[in-house]
């Protein structure tokens, strides 16, 4: 199906997700030479500080940023200021379960 979309539509196709095993079988054969794997990682604490525009010389701001980073990590989806705390926990719980239940097989 993915290959037919590539042929029928003048577009780029992006397959995302944490389950890279699909590219080890038939799909990889069909897309041979036409895909690039890009690994995405959470922000480091230094990147988190930069993103949040924290003054690294202000110990109080750095401490508050560290407490937030320690609690929620550096996943880009949870760093949006518009996301509620409950939604952050829901997202992280879903992400954890997805990795442990599906990728950990």
């Amino acid at each position: 199906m993915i290959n037919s979309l590539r042929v029928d539509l003048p577009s780029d196709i992006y397959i995302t997700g944490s389950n890279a095993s699909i590219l080890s079988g038939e799909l990889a054969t069909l897309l041979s030479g036409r895909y690039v794997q890009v690994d995405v990682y959470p922000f480091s604490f230094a990147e988190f500080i930069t993103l949040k525009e924290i003054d690294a010389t202000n110990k109080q701001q750095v401490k508050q940023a560290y407490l937030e980073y320690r609690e929620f990590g550096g996943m880009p989806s949870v760093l949006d200021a518009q996301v509620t705390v409950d939604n952050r926990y829901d997202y992280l719980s879903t992400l954890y379960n997805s990795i442990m239940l599906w990728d950990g097989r």
Side-chain angles (χ1 to χ4, degrees):
M1 175 169 178
I2 295 168
N3 199 34
S4 67
L5 288 174
R6 185 193 61 77
V7 171
D8 294 341
L9 301 172
S11 61
D12 292 337
I13 299 173
Y14 298 90
I15 302 171
T16 64
S18 61
N19 193 353
S21 65
I22 63 170
L23 292 178
S24 64
E26 181 181 340
L27 183 59
T29 302
L30 293 173
L31 296 176
S32 181
R34 295 182 289 248
Y35 75 92
V36 175
Q37 179 174 326
V38 178
D39 295 326
V40 178
Y41 299 99
F43 290 116
S44 68
F45 184 61
E47 292 167 328
F48 180 85
I49 292 284
T50 301
L51 179 73
K52 292 284 196 172
E53 299 179 350
I54 303 294
D55 177 5
T57 63
N58 184 322
K59 290 182 181 183
Q60 185 60 31
Q61 285 185 6
V62 172
K63 181 180 178 180
Q64 285 302 115
Y66 172 73
L67 293 174
E68 181 180 354
Y69 185 80
R70 185 182 72 183
E71 184 169 1
F72 297 110
M75 297 304 291
S77 298
V78 300
L79 298 180
D80 185 348
Q82 305 301 320
V83 177
T84 66
V85 171
D86 288 340
N87 287 345
R88 289 179 185 194
Y89 285 123
D90 289 344
Y91 172 77
L92 292 172
S93 177
T94 301
L95 181 63
Y96 176 83
N97 289 332
S98 173
I99 292 169
M100 295 307 290
L101 297 176
W102 295 105
D103 294 350
R105 290 187 215 176

